């Protein structure tokens, strides 16, 4: 067990094979060649000979074994391993058994004792170990002494080398506080899709990749050829230019907005150490309030200056404080707790007045000095985990003055996306070491130490401790872990765009067919002066209106209106549309992939229920718990588990009530002790505020509850804990921490071994082991009982996180036996972790006294339950993808009603073999009604070997919960669903770890909250709360899709009907490719005479909002795509053909062909027909619709006097003109109107059924 008692390396990523000992050559941890540094020590022939001998006999040790201690101790006893080196040089043989790096690097008396045992070991145990131990020792010397760049000449060991992207030998050498020799990327965040050089090429390519845009371009270019020109060139060029200007302008505005938001993030101010002006009195300082941290900086004499985030460079030393975002990947050099003085005063007496306490466990367990350099960080923006992570400063520079950081040099691997791994070294010049480690006798040793993940903080993590932190920037910009785990932005195109593109191809084929037919009929009357292909091309140009160029303009303007509606909706205030090209996609969603932390939950825990075996306490009953605690801890002296409750209020109570009171007191005391929480104090507006730091919000919730019922944690360090009674304000419990076993995803429990101080302020001889954990593992650890399974099941059904609490009493001899075996297991070279677990299981985790069960609730976001239910009723399949633990994800899925009541949850976790994965697939094929709960490790196995089978099975399930997912895995799942199902996928999240998933989705939604804005900035739509998603999809998505579909079909109808009129005219004019409506008539028809009434359809709505929310099943109809389908398209084609034939055919019959009178009659009837058709298609009238229809009619009739070039104005004022127009319009409109009415009666749409 290491001296660091709060934290062990957190569980690796699920898709990493860290279950086995990852074996690497120790030399890979020290790639620097120190001969290049001014402080290197000359190599001797003797050392070179030893090095070669060591290399030839190189052994390998587990990397995790090295991390266990190297990163934890603040100092290294170079004298001890130097002594071993001398003994080895003298030819002495060394011990072979379980000795390990702990023996070389530890600083406890137990380790000294084990080193002494090496010399006394009987000869029979010494079997040729000189070679193996020599290799280990000299490799260790290569890491810690850092005198030579030991590259193995002949590495014959069999092992899996590091992956190329994380090759420790591909290092960068960073001179701290200096300008670097190499150029590194700028530390800038960029969510922009384009650069100034790629904007035009990319946007033009995207535009002309659609067939109808390309068709318009070819038509416009054809007008350059004189023989193909029909009318004015501007008639064709201007509309295309206008369309491109609108589309490119929207893209430019959106991208400029993204760049502006990026600039705000990149302009965030950070403080760095200013080494250049350290000796100057005129220093640019950040203006800060007179806080404790500013006092510390003034005491240290630090010169500082402010830099924007984008100006930070590799090698800069950042000065960070609590709740500050880490702007780049950094290595932590120094940490100064701003409340360490107060903490010590609360927990310790003055050294001169401290009484001597007898220690039954022996002198070797005497309290050690509190060590600094520890801090907590929040990583939920990086990996989605809510647990705080403990980080420690590099021990070798923790005691350095910040101005001496320039003597440091960091060696780090090349940029890597693995957020849970880091390998590097930190070198310090011997000159600086001499000034800070005067107790060492040999200053030439220990000038380099390895760096691990525990010495780092990655970009977009947040400092959670009240600690002043000095950290060196190692990776910047696109080389940070966050950037490497994030997919690049992509341009998104809606499904409606592809559907319209397919329809335009049909229209183009129709146009070509009509042109060929007309030319073929013309050949019956040959004209040798014209080529047949020229005639075909002219007909194609004449009929180009069949594919209206105004379609894109209308759709893009409509999307702008939809975005305006969304952003002005007061019910979802704060909503922002960042990608205005896909609002109609909100109405086509079939899969919703959601993050958990900060999206479905608030990440705020609250203990809701406690069960002590015979009685359960919740809500108001907690007052009774407070009363029991007040009685049990009312003594003026220190309380221990053996203290009897003898207060006056309980002396007359029944035996049962006394037993219940004792059990309540015991469970509260256990919860107040068994945790990893550290209290911190900070002055806010002159008031001292106590906050708690922990690796999990669950533990903070439990500690806050314990304070509410009477026990307050006032002090905690590595070796001691102090608890105060909130009733009396007196210290009631003091313990010494002997061991801490942190919570892990594999173990699912945490434990602590403590020794109490009694009322005489003396250490008790007995030792107590407290443990809490998941019921799945604690059931076999606690003593047999008849209520545990039933009560945990009841709490789980309530959606509470259950923790089982137990304890065990150990004598001093029992603990000594455990300690010896545990030390032996911790020094093993192989299977160290399993050996340590086995010792804990044998000595501690057997027959624990069951104290009680707690139920903790992770508070859900506002209205999450009804929102999920509504979305599920709307036919949307919901998946939850989170980086959090399996148990946490399961509890949230139940409490949020993501999993239906009584629904079977099939858990697939920690699969490592293909056959196991196949068995899981076979089982799920027969249980499609189940909820699949899968971890990232198993998900990676499925995606590697059974990708198609897994996704085909998973999409049939109603709910899937994937936990322990990396950001890349989240994005892969979204892409896989899109590729396999061809359905629309929406992803929603709030953290930086969700950005890849959001960008991979068809629709990405980001939530703005306390976790930051990174997901919001990268998303297509930004909202404040999860419950706003329902209105975004069910209401705005419905309207956007229905309106766009109706608008697109009407614009196509408008272009198709005029093309039919042109066809009828060409037939009547003996197949001549002459235009029926020329110049202004053609342009005016598509713009001022019909555009505004048609565009007013973007205000139409088929149902009101209340009905859409009441019947979310209406949303299912949208996903079928019936609003714009081949069926609806061909219905409109038939209507257009009928109306075009009636309008032009009757005009040619009633009026002479090739006369201005015929043009005036047919064009007027055409405009009236379109205005009335718009009115017939409206479901819900809006004042704007009435205004546009009547206003456009007035504009048209008012402009007739100016159309004398095309019309016979004298004929228009006659009665003959009026009755002809009225008759033609009536015939063209009555039949379609009657047919549409009959169809609605015979086969009504879903919304009409509900309305009736």
């Amino acid at each position: 067990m290491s001296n660091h008692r709060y934290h062990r390396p957190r569980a690796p990523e699920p898709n990493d094979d860290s279950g086995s000992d990852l074996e690497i050559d120790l030399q890979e941890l020290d790639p620097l060649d120190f001969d290049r540094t001014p402080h290197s020590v000359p190599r001797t022939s003797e050392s070179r000979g030893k090095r070669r001998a060591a290399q030839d006999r190189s052994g390998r040790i587990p990397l995790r074994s090295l991390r266990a201690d190297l990163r934890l101790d603040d100092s290294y006893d170079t004298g001890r391993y130097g002594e071993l080196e001398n003994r080895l040089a003298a030819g002495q043989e060394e011990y072979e058994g379980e000795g390990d790096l702990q023996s070389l690097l530890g600083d406890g008396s137990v380790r000294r004792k084990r080193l002494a045992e090496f010399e006394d070991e009987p000869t029979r145990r010494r079997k040729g170990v000189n070679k193996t131990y020599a290799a280990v020792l000299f490799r260790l010397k290569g890491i810690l002494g850092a005198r030579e760049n030991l590259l193995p000449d002949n590495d014959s060991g069999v092992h899996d080398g590091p992956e190329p992207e994380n090759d420790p030998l591909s290092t960068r050498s960073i001179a701290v506080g200096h300008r670097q020799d190499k150029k590194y990327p700028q530390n800038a965040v960029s969510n922009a899709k384009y650069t100034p050089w790629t904007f035009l090429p990319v946007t033009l390519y995207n535009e002309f990749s659609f067939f109808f845009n390309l068709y318009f371009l070819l038509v416009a270019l054809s007008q350059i050829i004189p023989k193909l020109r029909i009318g004015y060139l501007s008639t064709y060029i201007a509309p295309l230019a206008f369309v491109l200007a609108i589309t490119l302008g929207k893209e430019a505005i959106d991208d400029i907005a993204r760049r502006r938001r990026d600039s705000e993030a990149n302009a965030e101010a950070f403080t760095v150490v200013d080494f250049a002006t350290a000796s100057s009195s005129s220093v640019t300082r950040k203006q800060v309030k007179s806080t404790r941290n500013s006092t510390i900086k003034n005491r240290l004499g630090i010169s500082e200056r402010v830099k924007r985030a984008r100006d930070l460079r590799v090698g800069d030393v950042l000065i960070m404080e609590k709740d500050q975002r880490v702007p780049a990947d950094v290595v932590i050099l120094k940490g100064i707790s701003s409340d360490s003085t107060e903490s010590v005063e609360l927990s310790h007496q003055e050294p001169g007045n401290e009484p001597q306490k007898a220690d039954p466990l022996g002198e070797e367990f005497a309290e050690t000095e509190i060590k600094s350099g520890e801090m907590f960080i929040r990583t939920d923006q990086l990996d989605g985990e809510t647990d705080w992570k403990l980080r420690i400063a590099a021990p070798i520079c923790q005691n350095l003055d910040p101005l001496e950081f320039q003597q440091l040099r960091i060696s780090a691997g090349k940029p890597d996306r693995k957020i849970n791994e880091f390998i590097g070294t930190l070198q310090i010049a011997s000159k600086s070491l001499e000034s800070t480690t005067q107790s060492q006798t040999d200053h030439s040793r220990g000038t380099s130490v390895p760096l691990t993940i525990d010495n780092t903080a990655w970009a977009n993590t947040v400092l959670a401790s009240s600690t002043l932190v000095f950290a060196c920037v190692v990776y910047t910009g696109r080389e940070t872990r966050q950037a490497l785990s994030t997919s690049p932005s992509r341009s998104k195109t809606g499904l409606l765009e592809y559907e319209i593109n397919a329809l335009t191809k049909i229209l183009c084929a129709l146009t070509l067919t009509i042109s060929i037919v007309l030319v073929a009929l013309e050949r019956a009357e040959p004209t040798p002066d014209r080529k047949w292909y020229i005639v075909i091309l002219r007909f194609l140009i004449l009929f180009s209106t069949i594919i209206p160029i105004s379609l894109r303009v209308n759709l893009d303007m409509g999307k702008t209106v939809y975005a305006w509606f969304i952003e002005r909706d007061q019910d979802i205030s704060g909503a922002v549309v960042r990608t205005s090209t896909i609002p109609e996609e909100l109405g086509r969603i079939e899969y919703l992939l959601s993050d958990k932390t900060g999206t479905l939950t608030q990440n705020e825990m609250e203990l809701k229920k406690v069960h002590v075996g015979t009685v359960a306490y919740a809500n108001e009953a907690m007052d009774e718990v407070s009363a029991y605690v007040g009685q049990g801890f009312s003594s003026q002296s220190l309380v221990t588990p053996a203290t009897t409750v003898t207060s006056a209020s309980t002396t007359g109570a029944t035996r049962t009530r006394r037993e219940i009171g004792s059990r309540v007191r015991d469970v509260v005391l256990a919860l107040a002790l068994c945790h990893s929480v550290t209290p911190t104090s900070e002055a806010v507006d002159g008031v001292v505020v106590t906050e708690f730091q922990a690796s999990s919000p669950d533990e903070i919730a439990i500690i806050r509850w314990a304070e509410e019922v009477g026990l307050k944690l006032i002090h905690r360090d590595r070796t001691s804990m102090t608890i105060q009674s909130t009733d009396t304000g007196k210290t009631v419990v003091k313990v010494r921490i002997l061991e801490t076993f942190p919570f892990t995803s594999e173990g699912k429990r945490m434990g602590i071994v403590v020794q109490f101080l009694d009322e005489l302020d003396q250490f008790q001889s007995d030792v107590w082991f407290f443990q809490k954990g998941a019921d799945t593992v604690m059931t076999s650890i606690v003593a047999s009982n008849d209520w545990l399974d039933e009560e945990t099941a009841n709490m789980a059904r309530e959606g509470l996180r259950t923790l089982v609490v137990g304890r065990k009493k150990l004598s001093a001899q029992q603990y000594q036996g455990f300690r010896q075996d545990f030390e032996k297991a911790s020094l093993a070279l192989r299977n160290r972790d399993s050996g340590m677990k086995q010792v804990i299981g044998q000595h501690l985790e057997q027959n624990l006294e069951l104290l009680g069960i707690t139920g903790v609730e992770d508070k859900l976001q506002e209205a999450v339950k009804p929102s999920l239910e509504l979305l599920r009723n709307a036919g949307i399949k919901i998946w939850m993808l989170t980086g959090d633990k399996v148990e946490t994800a399961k509890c949230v899925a139940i409490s949020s009603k993501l999993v239906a009541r009584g629904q079977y949850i099939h858990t697939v976790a920690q699969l490592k073999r293909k056959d196991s994965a196949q068995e899981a697939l076979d089982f799920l094929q027969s249980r499609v009604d189940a909820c699949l709960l899968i971890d990232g490790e198993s998900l990676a196995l499925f995606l590697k070997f059974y990708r198609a089978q897994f996704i085909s099975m998973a999409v049939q399930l109603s709910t899937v919960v994937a936990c322990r997912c990396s950001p890349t895995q989240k994005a892969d799942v979204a892409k896989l669903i899109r590729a396999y199902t061809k359905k629309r996928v929406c992803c929603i999240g709030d953290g930086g770890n969700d950005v890849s998933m959001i960008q991979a989705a068809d629709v990405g939604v980001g939530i703005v909250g306390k976790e930051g804005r990174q997901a919001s900035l990268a998303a297509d739509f930004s909202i404040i709360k999860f419950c706003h998603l329902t209105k975004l999809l069910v209401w705005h998505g419905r309207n956007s899709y229905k309106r766009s579909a109706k608008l697109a079909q009407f614009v196509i109808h408008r272009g198709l009907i005029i093309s039919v009129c042109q066809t009828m005219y060409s037939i009547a004019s003996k197949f001549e490719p002459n235009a029926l409506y020329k110049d202004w008539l053609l342009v005016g028809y598509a713009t001022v005479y019909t555009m505004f009434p048609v565009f007013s359809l973007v205000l139409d709505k088929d149902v009101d909002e209340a009905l859409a929310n009441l019947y979310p099943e209406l949303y299912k109809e949208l996903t079928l795509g019936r609003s714009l389908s081949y069926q609806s398209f061909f219905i409109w084609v038939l209507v257009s053909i009928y109306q075009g034939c009636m309008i032009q055919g009757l005009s040619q019959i009633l009026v002479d062909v090739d006369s201005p009178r015929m043009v005036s009659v047919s064009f007027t009837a055409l405009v009236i027909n379109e205005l009335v058709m718009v009115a017939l298609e409206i479901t819900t009238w809006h004042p704007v619709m009435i205004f546009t229809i009547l206003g456009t009619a007035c504009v048209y009739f008012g402009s007739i006097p100016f159309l004398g070039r095309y019309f016979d104005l004298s004929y228009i004022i006659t009665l003959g003109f009026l009755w002809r127009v009225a008759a033609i319009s009536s015939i063209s409109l009555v039949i379609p109107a009657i047919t549409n009415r009959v169809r609605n009666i015979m086969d009504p749409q879903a919304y009409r059924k509900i309305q009736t």
Side-chain angles (χ1 to χ4, degrees), residues 1000-1012:
D1002 296 296
V1003 177
V1005 181
I1007 294 181
V1008 180
K1010 61 182 181 181
E1011 306 301 342

Side-chain angles (χ1 to χ4, degrees), residues 1173-1187:
M1173 284 294 291
V1174 170
L1176 292 176
E1177 285 299 314
I1178 293 174
T1179 306
T1180 304
W1181 283 89
H1182 190 279
V1184 174
M1185 296 175 176
I1186 301 173
F1187 175 79

Side-chain angles (χ1 to χ4, degrees), residues 606-608 610 622 625-630 633 664-675 677 692 698-714 721 723-727 732 772 854 856:
E606 181 181 1
L607 193 146
K608 304 289 288 187
V610 176
M622 290 298 182
V625 176
S626 301
Y628 284 132
V629 172
F633 294 91
V664 170
R665 187 202 67 164
D666 289 342
V667 74
V668 174
L669 177 61
L671 292 172
L673 292 174
C674 187
H675 55 77
V677 181
F692 297 108
D698 299 59
E699 299 211 307
I700 294 180
I702 292 175
I703 290 304
R704 292 192 184 280
W705 174 82
E707 182 176 348
E708 291 175 0
V709 298
L711 293 184
K712 179 181 180 180
L713 177 67
I714 61 172
M721 198 184 316
I723 296 176
Q724 185 183 79
S725 171
T726 57
D727 293 336
V732 293
K772 65 182 180 185
T854 64
V856 177

Side-chain angles (χ1 to χ4, degrees), residues 832-905:
R832 173 179 299 182
D833 289 346
S834 60
M836 294 166 67
K837 292 178 182 177
Q838 185 177 3
V839 171
I840 295 173
Q842 291 176 349
H843 290 268
L844 302 180
E845 295 180 339
Q846 288 186 1
N847 294 321
L848 266 67
E849 178 188 356
L850 177 59
L851 297 178
I853 311 171
T854 64
V856 177
E857 180 187 41
D858 189 352
K859 293 183 180 179
L860 298 175
Q861 292 278 4
E862 178 185 344
V864 161
K865 293 181 182 179
S867 298
L868 289 176
E869 183 180 3
L870 187 147
L871 294 174
R872 193 162 38 239
N873 293 335
I876 299 175
K877 293 185 177 181
I878 305 173
W879 292 30
M880 184 171 75
L881 309 179
T882 177
D884 221 328
K885 308 177 187 68
V886 175
E887 295 78 13
T888 305
K890 183 177 180 179
C891 288
V892 172
I894 294 174
S895 61
S896 65
K897 305 303 181 185
L898 182 62
V899 177
R901 185 178 182 88
Q903 184 177 9
Y904 172 68
I905 301 177

Side-chain angles (χ1 to χ4, degrees), residues 349-354:
Q349 301 177 359
E350 291 296 324
N353 300 327
E354 184 178 359

Side-chain angles (χ1 to χ4, degrees), residues 1153-1194:
V1153 181
D1154 285 336
S1155 68
R1157 292 185 176 185
M1158 187 274 293
V1159 173
S1160 60
V1161 170
S1162 66
F1163 190 81
T1164 302
L1166 183 65
V1167 171
I1168 293 175
N1169 181 84
E1170 288 303 296
L1171 296 180
V1172 176
M1173 284 294 291
V1174 170
L1176 292 176
E1177 285 299 314
I1178 293 174
T1179 306
T1180 304
W1181 283 89
H1182 190 279
V1184 174
M1185 296 175 176
I1186 301 173
F1187 175 79
T1188 56
I1189 292 175
L1190 296 179
T1192 299
C1194 294

Side-chain angles (χ1 to χ4, degrees), residues 10 82 269 307 379 476 530 620 684 744 818 875 949 986 1038 1055 1095 1156 1195 1218:
R10 59 175 301 279
K307 272 190 174 185
T379 63
T476 54
R530 289 182 300 177
E620 293 80 7
V684 178
T744 63
F818 158 75
Q949 299 94 315
C986 174
R1038 177 183 186 82
F1095 188 71
V1195 168
L1218 295 179

